[in-house]
Amino acid sequence: MSRPGTATPALALVLLAVTVAGVGAQGAALEDPDYYGQEIWSQEPYYARPEPEPETFSPPLPAGPGEEWEPRPQEPRPPKRATKPKKAPKREKSAPEPPPPGKNSNKKVVRTKSSEKAANDDHNVRVAHEDVRESCPPLGLETLKITDFQLHASTAKRYGLGAHRGRLNIQAGINENDFYDGAWCAGRNDLQQWIEVDARRLTRFTGVITQGRNSLWLSDWVTSYKVMVSNDSHTWVTVKNGSGDMIFEGNSEKEIPVLNELPVPMVARYIRINPQSWFDNGSICMRMEILGCPLPDPNNYYHRRNEMTTTDDLDFKHHNYKEMRQLMKVVNEMCPNITRIYNIGKSHQGLKLYAVEISDHPGEHEVGEPEFHYIAGAHGNEVLGRELLLLLVQFLCQEYLARNARIVHLVEETRIHILPSLNPDGYEKAYEGGSELGGWSLGRWTHDGIDINNNFPDLNTLLWEAEDLQNVPRKVPNHYIAIPEWFLSENATVAAETRAVIAWMEKIPFVLGGNLQGGELVVAYPYDLVRSPWKTQEHTPTPDDHVFRWLAYSYASTHRLMTDARRRVCHTEEFQKEEGTVNGASWHTVAGSLNDFSYLHTNCFELSIYVGCDKYPHESQLPEEWENNRESLIVFMEQVHRGIKGLVRDSHGKGIPNAIISVEGVNHDIRTANDGDYWRLLNPGEYVVTAKAEGFTASTKNCMVGYDMGATRCDFTLSKTNMARIREIMEKFGKQPVSLPARRLKLRGRKRRQRG
């Protein structure tokens, strides 16, 4: 046994050597001029990292000779294409590839020989040595799971082009020189520029997806770059290809995303992109997403606390057209007594537009029971809404079978229609590209290039012009405005899907509806078209503005993120001043929207629900998105039972169809359905309501709407007018009623002839 006196000096020498080595490593990093070149605003303060550093069970990445990143003095030159990059949406068939991020399968991909060679040649980098590996999901730059504090850059032109704007598919504002521009852009165009992501935990990085700058006027993108990783953000290891640094080919234009997979997965906390060349007439600008699998760390309470889980046993995956039909069939077989599958028409390519009806008497309209609908997929690439509705169908079936009292009451008192894919042709295009590689617009339009969301007849202009000429309601009513003849002609630029929806809404007396969209996190209510023709943004309320505000807030307030004042804006718009809601016209004007058409042509109050910043999230995000929206989807359906409802009948008890229901002080009427039943959405309060129909004497009542859920019953019995009774008697005996004015003219003519 050695004496303590001899061990103590040896231990002190060891500690001194370690301390000197650590100081030397930090000093080398601090002496890097690029380290001081970082923008002050991009530095993450200490208090922004409340969680502990990753455990040291993983050895830090050493810096071997030639691995420290040194700026090159020479001019940029074309990249060395060591491996052929994969561009979206084109696929190579000659060699096996991992599925694009967002595809539905969990296929494993065999490493190629070149990847194995690259791994074997670099013995200093910690890599995954399995023969097979899975493609990791995105870290979450696009979905905002990665916060602004986790993004850093060497320099930036200005704050609006900082590292926090370097997110895949982020969109620039109308004025690109403000705080909301469309990419990270370096302050200088040289080889010393970089942008990095702090994953805040050890992560197995597998790939990088890049885009150029989103701009109407400028063309900026990176054509090649290097990738480096680090465990401490000071010592960096460059991804190798054989004995040299690997140069990844970037973008050839600014919008189409390009995926490059690392030759082997690399385990680290930080990843850095170092541009090597860029568009000749542009600048270093980039949007990106990182693919990586966070390693489990059960000792880190911060990450376990923030992990989102769900207890619902649902099919969390992306469904193509065939899989969607199969899922509907499975749900129908599970709940045959409350579900019915039908189609409302066909797409331009001949795909049927399937809908699922959920009701205790599917296939029939029950007198007094309101009709509700959800629509998704008008833009084929806004996939999250489609999957949320498919999850909702499964959830309603399962909870009904489990006798969940809330769901049972909703199903038995409401006729629910769910149309998950209005634009299946566009979806199939987006599905082929995958969740991260479709860009911002692939699959948005129908096969014949039409935006369904703006393809409905513009009835706003007809109404407003008539109001200006004081022709309302004499020539143009304030509701049920007829569709113009030109719109109904075969030569009109109207999508087959649009015509199918119009016919569907005219056939079924919908009371409330929501169309799910993507790319933002807000609920938009009508009007969507500004009334002043020279403006692009103007608050343009409907006569039922107070009701629409409540309906929008009912969804936003029960969403997990929409009303969170701490959340980051998706792109450029801040909606917190209206609690996650916005008047459509005050956001951006749109003529011929589904919301405006539905309000002016039918009884249905329609709203646009933007359910997420990412239009097409990776399927690993679906459980969290379901938790974000589940309560909101149910609460919004329950609002169909708010206001007044009732029957309008004649003296014999027969329902009067097409009777007009007017509310005093609200310049918008509704009409009864074929059986004489009606539903009028109203906020709590006392209202003077009038029911009138052709040939009947109008009837007026005071109707009280309470705060409790459930519409107030307000029935009307109308008596026929004297003229209507005379006509009924005359028709019964085969005679026509006498027109008194015509008879007077006839008598006057007879007297003139007698005098002559």
Side-chain angles (χ1 to χ4, degrees):
M1 179 180 294
S2 60
R3 292 178 297 175
T6 59
T8 302
L11 179 60
L13 290 175
V14 171
L15 292 174
L16 179 61
V18 170
T19 304
V20 171
V23 172
Q26 293 181 5
L30 293 175
E31 289 172 2
D32 183 359
D34 190 52
Y35 181 86
Y36 294 101
Q38 297 187 33
E39 298 291 325
I40 295 177
W41 55 264
S42 70
Q43 294 298 312
E44 181 178 4
Y46 176 78
Y47 58 79
R49 302 182 184 182
E51 78 284 356
E53 293 291 322
E55 298 292 333
T56 57
F57 63 83
S58 172
L61 297 173
E67 292 179 353
E68 192 80 334
W69 175 54
E70 296 292 342
R72 295 185 180 182
Q74 68 269 25
E75 293 295 321
R77 61 174 183 262
K80 300 176 182 177
R81 300 180 183 177
T83 60
K84 188 174 182 179
K86 307 174 187 64
K87 294 185 179 181
K90 184 177 180 181
R91 297 180 177 179
E92 298 293 334
K93 297 183 179 180
S94 58
E97 297 179 1
K103 282 297 184 183
N104 309 324
S105 62
N106 292 321
K107 296 179 182 177
K108 297 184 178 180
V109 180
V110 180
R111 253 188 342 178
T112 60
K113 293 182 179 179
S114 60
S115 299
E116 294 175 358
K117 184 177 185 299
N120 294 333
D121 288 346
D122 190 352
H123 301 286
N124 295 318
V125 181
R126 182 179 175 186
V127 299
H129 289 286
E130 301 91 350
D131 290 334
V132 293
R133 60 185 172 93
E134 294 183 4
S135 179
C136 287
L139 289 186
L141 275 77
E142 184 176 6
T143 61
L144 307 183
K145 195 172 183 179
I146 296 294
T147 68
D148 289 351
F149 291 113
Q150 294 174 258
L151 299 173
H152 307 281
S154 53
T155 60
K157 283 187 175 181
R158 49 186 171 78
Y159 180 78
L161 293 168
H164 64 294
R165 301 296 294 176
R167 301 173 181 272
L168 190 73
N169 286 323
I170 202 166
Q171 301 296 294
I174 298 176
N175 302 313
E176 295 180 10
N177 292 324
D178 59 10
F179 287 164
Y180 303 109
D181 219 316
W184 161 70
C185 290
R188 301 184 300 272
N189 289 335
D190 58 45
L191 298 180
Q192 299 180 11
Q193 306 307 309
W194 48 262
I195 180 172
E196 75 178 45
V197 179
D198 176 8
R200 288 187 172 173
R201 63 194 296 182
L202 289 178
T203 302
R204 185 168 70 252
F205 297 113
T206 62
V208 177
I209 302 173
T210 59
Q211 272 178 318
R213 176 181 178 179
N214 175 249
S215 173
L216 293 174
W217 320 110
L218 301 174
S219 297
D220 299 319
W221 61 82
V222 171
T223 57
S224 68
Y225 57 89
K226 292 182 181 180
V227 177
M228 293 170 282
V229 294
S230 172
N231 267 356
D232 58 7
S233 79
H234 296 302
T235 303
W236 293 88
V237 174
T238 304
V239 175
K240 301 287 185 180
N241 182 37
S243 59
D245 295 348
M246 186 168 185
I247 305 293
F248 294 91
E249 185 173 342
N251 299 82
S252 57
E253 59 92 64
K254 56 188 176 184
E255 289 298 336
I256 299 179
V258 174
L259 165 67
N260 279 294
E261 292 198 319
L262 305 186
V264 289
M266 304 190 72
V267 176
R269 170 172 169 170
Y270 302 87
I271 185 169
R272 177 178 286 186
I273 309 302
N274 169 220
Q276 296 295 295
S277 61
W278 46 92
F279 182 56
D280 290 341
N281 298 322
S283 303
I284 296 178
C285 294
M286 176 181 289
R287 292 175 289 168
M288 67 176 186
E289 181 64 84
I290 304 297
L291 306 184
C293 299
L295 299 185
D297 185 3
N299 297 322
N300 195 325
Y301 171 73
Y302 174 82
H303 294 301
R304 286 187 285 113
R305 182 187 64 186
N306 287 278
E307 288 177 352
M308 172 60 64
T309 58
T310 182
T311 58
D312 295 328
D313 184 19
L314 307 175
D315 189 18
F316 293 105
K317 59 171 286 186
H318 287 297
H319 300 80
N320 60 22
Y321 183 76
K322 182 178 180 181
E323 292 167 338
M324 180 188 73
R325 288 188 305 170
Q326 182 62 29
L327 178 62
M328 289 180 174
K329 182 179 179 182
V330 170
V331 172
N332 180 242
E333 291 173 350
M334 286 179 59
C335 299
N337 295 329
I338 63 168
T339 62
R340 178 177 71 99
I341 303 172
Y342 66 100
N343 73 83
I344 68 169
K346 293 184 178 181
S347 70
H348 185 274
Q349 290 288 86
L351 299 179
K352 292 181 179 179
L353 307 178
Y354 284 107
V356 178
E357 177 190 343
I358 301 176
S359 171
D360 58 342
H361 292 87
E364 62 179 279
H365 171 73
E366 298 180 67
V367 177
E369 187 170 285
E371 309 252 2
F372 175 92
H373 74 249
Y374 271 130
I375 299 174
H379 296 147
N381 63 329
E382 294 172 6
V383 176
L384 178 56
R386 169 191 175 112
E387 295 304 330
L388 288 176
L389 292 190
L390 292 177
L391 292 169
L392 179 62
V393 169
Q394 301 172 62
F395 178 79
L396 293 177
C397 173
Q398 291 181 6
E399 293 302 303
Y400 185 86
L401 294 178
R403 306 309 294 173
N404 180 322
R406 182 186 185 189
I407 301 303
V408 169
H409 180 268
L410 181 65
V411 170
E412 292 182 350
E413 299 298 326
T414 318
R415 191 182 182 202
I416 304 168
H417 304 258
I418 296 178
L419 178 64
S421 186
L422 179 55
N423 182 10
D425 298 346
Y427 174 80
E428 292 302 305
K429 292 181 183 178
Y431 183 83
E432 287 300 314
S435 64
E436 312 304 319
L437 303 181
W440 188 248
S441 59
L442 179 65
R444 174 184 177 90
W445 299 279
T446 63
H447 185 77
D448 47 346
I450 296 175
D451 187 337
I452 298 176
N453 197 48
N454 311 335
N455 193 224
F456 294 85
D458 174 15
L459 304 181
N460 305 58
T461 302
L462 294 177
L463 174 64
W464 294 335
E465 287 179 351
E467 287 180 344
D468 293 339
L469 297 174
Q470 298 183 348
N471 286 335
V472 175
R474 186 164 56 89
K475 290 187 177 181
V476 177
N478 64 10
H479 68 292
Y480 270 49
I481 300 175
I483 298 175
E485 290 295 330
W486 65 265
F487 189 90
L488 300 174
S489 67
E490 295 182 359
N491 297 328
T493 307
V494 182
E497 297 86 347
T498 305
R499 296 187 188 276
V501 170
I502 292 175
W504 184 48
M505 298 185 73
E506 290 178 337
K507 180 180 179 181
I508 300 176
F510 290 117
V511 179
L512 177 62
N515 56 89
L516 274 56
Q517 302 190 42
E520 264 298 349
L521 204 55
V522 68
V523 181
Y525 55 89
Y527 288 123
D528 290 328
L529 180 66
V530 296
R531 185 157 187 169
S532 302
W534 58 87
K535 293 184 178 180
T536 58
Q537 292 177 315
E538 179 186 50
H539 183 73
T540 310
T542 66
D544 286 288
D545 188 61
H546 56 296
V547 178
F548 276 113
R549 284 176 178 270
W550 168 257
L551 294 172
Y553 183 71
S554 70
Y555 193 100
S557 61
T558 50
H559 190 279
R560 288 187 63 253
L561 299 175
M562 275 190 191
T563 56
D564 186 355
R566 300 168 298 173
R567 76 171 181 88
R568 183 194 187 281
V569 299
C570 291
H571 300 281
T572 64
E573 301 288 344
E574 174 61 66
F575 299 110
Q576 291 307 312
K577 61 182 179 181
E578 293 190 40
E579 299 288 344
T581 68
V582 66
N583 173 255
S586 66
W587 183 13
H588 53 256
T589 183
V590 172
S593 73
L594 173 58
N595 294 349
D596 291 1
F597 168 80
S598 179
Y599 182 68
L600 295 176
H601 186 67
T602 73
N603 288 339
C604 185
F605 285 33
E606 186 90 17
L607 292 85
S608 293
I609 303 170
Y610 293 79
V611 291
C613 301
D614 190 351
K615 292 182 177 182
Y616 194 159
H618 190 270
E619 67 180 29
S620 63
Q621 291 294 116
L622 293 180
E624 181 172 351
E625 294 293 353
W626 167 247
E627 289 296 321
N628 289 342
N629 289 275
R630 178 184 59 191
E631 180 65 16
S632 301
L633 290 167
I634 298 172
V635 167
F636 188 72
M637 285 191 290
E638 292 173 335
Q639 303 312 304
V640 77
H641 296 283
R642 182 173 295 279
I644 60 175
K645 68 176 182 179
L647 283 169
V648 179
R649 293 171 287 196
D650 60 17
S651 56
H652 301 289
K654 183 179 179 182
I656 302 175
N658 214 33
I660 297 174
I661 306 296
S662 302
V663 178
E664 186 177 278
V666 182
N667 188 26
H668 182 80
D669 303 334
I670 64 164
R671 301 201 181 193
T672 57
N674 291 334
D675 297 307
D677 47 350
Y678 77 93
W679 308 263
R680 184 46 163 106
L681 297 177
L682 293 168
N683 284 344
E686 186 175 356
Y687 299 91
V688 178
V689 184
T690 300
K692 55 188 176 182
E694 185 177 355
F696 292 87
T697 303
S699 175
T700 300
K701 282 186 176 182
N702 289 336
C703 301
M704 177 69 73
V705 178
Y707 287 89
D708 295 335
M709 184 59 67
T712 301
R713 189 70 183 251
C714 204
D715 295 329
F716 294 89
T717 300
L718 304 185
S719 300
K720 290 187 177 181
T721 63
N722 291 333
M723 181 57 68
R725 290 175 180 174
I726 292 173
R727 286 177 179 171
E728 186 177 288
I729 294 172
M730 298 293 285
E731 290 176 358
K732 183 176 181 180
F733 293 99
K735 297 181 180 180
Q736 295 298 321
V738 178
S739 175
L740 295 180
R743 183 172 178 79
R744 289 194 189 102
L745 291 174
K746 187 176 182 180
L747 291 174
R748 288 174 185 173
R750 184 180 301 173
K751 289 180 180 179
R752 290 194 189 100
R753 287 194 298 272
Q754 289 175 354
R755 291 172 184 172

